[in-house]
Structures are given as structure tokens and as C-alpha cells.
Amino acid sequence: VQLQASGGGLAQAGGSLRLSCAASGRTYSNYVMTWFRQAPGKERAFVAAVSWRRGYTRYADSVKGRFTISRDNTKNTVYLQMNNLKPEDTAVYYCALDLGEFNSVAVANTRVYNYWGRGTLVTVSS
């Protein structure tokens, strides 16, 4: 499985961006796709996750009410709509895929993921 993330760029505080992550290669009937982010000098942190078959979601507290994760099953693509961006959202955003069942606790653990995309940079200016 290959994951290709796109959509990063520069935005002003209060603005919006939408990230996409397309999965290609071997397909599976159910899995979890998740966005993480890593700011300079910090560890990679969980942002949002979605289960592919049933659409369960989970968000980090820091993005609740501002970010929305969604998926398009026909395109094998997951999206992260980011609204009301803040300078602290500046980071490299990575998408990841877990072949296991959705678990609202485990989804935040980077070690459960089988595949990772390369990351896309989001910069939010104040």
C-alpha cells in the first residue's frame, strides 16, 4: 500500500486548508486511516482518525470543532478539512493506515500503523 498526501501549504490564522491522502496498491475491505502531525522539535502527534467501513471518527482535543476527517471510499482517499487554523497547527502532516479494527484509544498510537505517507507541510502565519 502506498499513501500519497497532498494539500499542504501556507495559510493565515483563521484560514482553511484541505489535506488529501490517497491510498493505492493492495486494497482491503476495512482499515483505519489517520492524520498525525509533527511540529519542529516535537514528537509526532495524533490529529484525527476514521474507520473505513463504518466511518467512526476520533479527534485530538486540540482540533475538535475545527478539523473534520472524511473519506471517499470510491477514491480510496481520506481528507482533513482544517478550518480556523492557528499558528500552533504549523507542522508536517502525515497520513497513516492501520489494517486493524478501529479502537478509539489505539488510533492515537503511532506504533499500530502499517503504512505511512511522506507528509505534507502546513504553515500557518499569525
Side-chain angles (χ1 to χ4, degrees), residues 14-113:
S16 299
L17 286 172
R18 189 176 82 153
L19 305 183
S20 301
C21 179
S24 61
R26 184 174 179 178
T27 59
Y28 299 88
S29 61
N30 190 37
Y31 44 91
V32 178
M33 286 195 76
T34 300
W35 289 97
F36 288 83
R37 66 187 182 185
Q38 189 165 17
K42 295 189 177 181
E43 294 186 352
R44 196 165 296 189
F46 170 77
V47 177
V50 62
S51 69
W52 207 249
R53 186 164 56 195
R54 298 196 176 187
Y56 298 139
T57 59
R58 183 193 163 188
Y59 294 90
D61 289 343
S62 58
V63 306
K64 279 181 183 176
R66 300 188 298 121
F67 290 11
T68 302
I69 190 169
S70 62
R71 83 255 193 247
D72 184 333
N73 299 59
T74 64
K75 297 180 179 180
N76 290 328
T77 299
V78 64
Y79 303 98
L80 186 69
Q81 178 65 44
M82 305 185 293
N83 297 330
N84 191 20
L85 284 162
K86 303 177 180 180
E88 51 263 44
D89 295 320
T90 295
V92 177
Y93 283 71
Y94 298 90
C95 58
L97 187 150
D98 169 23
L99 297 174
E101 292 293 328
F102 186 89
N103 178 296
S104 62
V105 175
V107 292
N109 186 343
T110 58
R111 291 176 291 179
V112 309
Y113 289 88

